[in-house]
Amino acid sequence: MFTLFVTVKIKPGHRDEFIAATKGDAEGSNTAEPRCLRFDVLADNNDPNTVYLYEVYEDRDAWETAHRGMPHYTQWRETVADWFDGDPQRIETTTLFRREDFV
């Protein structure tokens, strides 16, 4: 399993439209990508202009090739490109244990 935790800083005044666009990417990822196991969008409780993306894929190729080639991703990327306040910070991880492993 391949997992990403992405921190996105949004320019002031663009939060609502960023969230709306990101919802479309998350919906597409969760419903149209069988190799995407999870795509969550999280708001920072202390900074309204910081959003976190938690993404889980079967493997790196599912993210790198399949996800990044999907129309919902390319549309999202084009839509939000000018709203980033700096480059998103991406942490790549490997899942060791999941809830499902204990249930």
Side-chain angles (χ1 to χ4, degrees):
M1 227 175 295
F2 179 73
T3 308
L4 297 170
F5 191 78
V6 183
T7 301
V8 179
K9 302 278 188 178
I10 307 161
K11 289 180 181 174
H14 295 285
R15 183 182 191 278
D16 291 343
E17 53 199 337
F18 181 88
I19 296 297
T22 303
K23 183 180 179 187
D25 186 36
E27 181 177 6
S29 298
N30 283 308
T31 62
E33 294 182 46
R35 295 172 59 202
C36 176
L37 306 176
R38 183 180 198 101
F39 190 115
D40 294 344
V41 181
L42 311 164
D44 188 306
N45 289 343
N46 297 308
D47 180 356
N49 291 320
T50 298
V51 171
Y52 305 101
L53 308 177
Y54 177 65
E55 307 173 45
V56 182
Y57 299 91
E58 283 184 359
D59 54 34
R60 183 180 196 81
D61 182 66
W63 167 71
E64 213 165 57
T65 304
H67 173 69
R68 297 184 100 185
M70 295 294 288
H72 56 263
Y73 173 80
T74 56
Q75 179 181 356
W76 172 80
R77 191 72 184 171
E78 290 171 11
T79 301
V80 304
D82 293 333
W83 302 335
F84 291 125
D85 188 4
D87 291 332
Q89 301 301 305
R90 182 175 69 227
I91 299 171
E92 299 179 7
T93 68
T94 300
T95 301
L96 298 177
F97 304 106
R98 302 173 304 149
R99 182 178 190 270
E100 293 83 359
D101 296 330
F102 302 102
V103 177

